[in-house]
Amino acid sequence: MSRVIRPARSTDAGKLGAILSEAVRAHTWKPQLHTGAEDIAHMGDLIDRGWVRVCESDGVVAGFLALDGTSVQSLYVSIAEQGKGIGGALLVQAQEGQERLELWTFQANEDAQRFYRAHGFTAAERKEGAGNEEGLPDVRFTWVKSNKELQNG
């Protein structure tokens, strides 16, 4: 399997929007607030901002990460490609360029919480959903590069 991580291009917006829509449909606890077209437009906006990196697996876009400074805005992997290290590869690359990162995920998304903990993130704050569009309880995770990593980096 060949894997390439690269900056997203405007022509990726359709595939990334489809991955985002697929993720919403896969989580029955998450309300579907946007159409597929709105998801594509949203991804186009994030790409235009220069925030998005995609992971291609054997030439097919399999996942993406949107990073605004030190804030991970989105990390999604297509359902067919989950469990193959794509999300981890995207996250590790984001960590390599930063001394700290933070992100929010939903409290109901226990798989995501396990994933982030496995990559060195810790839960820092819990809220009841007043600050997100879905109105769902969420949790903020933070990651800080260790002193050992700083000395070696």
Side-chain angles (χ1 to χ4, degrees):
M1 168 177 37
S2 68
R3 185 179 296 159
V4 175
I5 297 176
R6 61 166 174 78
R9 300 183 285 259
S10 60
T11 54
D12 294 320
K15 178 62 178 169
L16 303 185
I19 291 171
L20 183 58
S21 296
E22 174 188 56
V24 172
R25 287 190 306 272
H27 294 99
T28 56
W29 48 263
K30 190 172 183 182
Q32 185 171 345
L33 302 176
H34 304 285
T35 66
E38 289 170 329
D39 286 341
I40 292 169
H42 173 66
M43 291 311 307
D45 181 51
L46 297 183
I47 292 167
D48 288 347
R49 293 178 189 202
W51 293 0
V52 184
R53 298 196 55 83
V54 300
C55 182
E56 290 183 352
S57 178
D58 294 328
V60 175
V61 174
F64 68 90
L65 184 142
L67 182 65
D68 175 16
T70 61
S71 179
V72 176
Q73 297 294 313
S74 306
L75 173 55
Y76 289 92
V77 175
S78 71
I79 291 173
E81 298 296 322
Q82 289 180 5
K84 298 179 181 178
I86 290 166
L90 286 161
L91 191 57
V92 165
Q93 187 179 76
Q95 288 171 315
E96 287 173 355
Q98 304 291 337
E99 290 188 20
R100 66 179 305 280
L101 291 174
E102 70 175 19
L103 58 88
W104 288 89
T105 192
F106 295 109
Q107 290 182 29
N109 197 344
E110 294 176 0
D111 289 341
Q113 291 180 54
R114 278 191 293 278
F115 171 80
Y116 292 123
R117 284 188 181 100
H119 285 87
F121 284 76
T122 56
E125 177 181 11
R126 293 183 179 273
K127 291 192 173 183
E128 291 308 310
N132 65 60
E133 185 178 28
E134 294 83 358
L136 296 174
D138 53 5
V139 56
R140 182 171 61 92
F141 278 85
T142 59
W143 170 83
V144 178
K145 191 175 283 192
S146 71
N147 288 335
K148 182 179 179 182
E149 289 173 304
L150 287 171
Q151 292 167 356
N152 294 334

